[in-house]
Amino acid sequence: MEELKNEIKKVIISSLELEDVKPEDIVDSEPLFGEGLGLDSIDALELGVALKRKFGIKFSSENSENRKHFASVNALAEYIAASKENQTKE
């Protein structure tokens, strides 16, 4: 799971062009939006596209769970791991 979290951090940094941020600067449990990393709704769209490309996962604009999935690196890692597990079962 640590490797997945590190990959997520790299995607966040590269897709949002956070030049002054390193993966180790991002706390796994810290909020990505508002406080914490301070991302906004435009960042969420860009990040969603980047995560879809990297991990093959989908986010639906109608899904009320998205806010929960994007809460932190930990939450994203759990969602991606669960999505990949579900894909292998299908």
Side-chain angles (χ1 to χ4, degrees), residues 56-57 69 78-90:
I57 57 170
H69 300 320
E78 288 173 20
Y79 176 70
I80 292 168
S83 294
K84 287 186 172 215
E85 195 174 297
N86 287 338
Q87 288 173 355
T88 58
K89 289 180 181 177
E90 292 176 0

Side-chain angles (χ1 to χ4, degrees), residues 3 7 14-15 18-19 23 29 32 56 62 66-67 69 76 81 86-87:
E3 187 175 322
E7 285 297 313
S14 66
S15 66
L18 303 176
E19 297 166 357
S29 59
L32 296 176
E62 290 93 42
N66 284 344
R67 175 166 261 151
H69 300 320
L76 278 171
N86 287 338
Q87 288 173 355

Side-chain angles (χ1 to χ4, degrees), residues 11 15-16 33 39-53 59-61 66 70:
V11 169
S15 66
L16 303 179
F33 297 89
L39 304 182
D40 61 23
S41 59
I42 301 297
D43 295 328
L45 291 172
E46 291 178 20
L47 182 55
V49 169
L51 291 169
K52 180 179 178 183
R53 281 192 198 125
F59 297 98
S60 169
S61 59
N66 284 344
F70 279 87

Side-chain angles (χ1 to χ4, degrees), residues 5-28 30-32 36-39 43 73:
K5 290 177 187 178
N6 201 39
E7 285 297 313
I8 292 168
K9 292 175 187 182
K10 289 177 183 176
V11 169
I12 291 169
I13 292 166
S14 66
S15 66
L16 303 179
E17 299 176 2
L18 303 176
E19 297 166 357
D20 298 334
V21 179
K22 298 181 198 82
E24 56 270 17
D25 295 336
I26 301 173
V27 179
D28 294 350
E30 191 172 85
L32 296 176
L37 203 52
L39 304 182
D43 295 328
V73 170

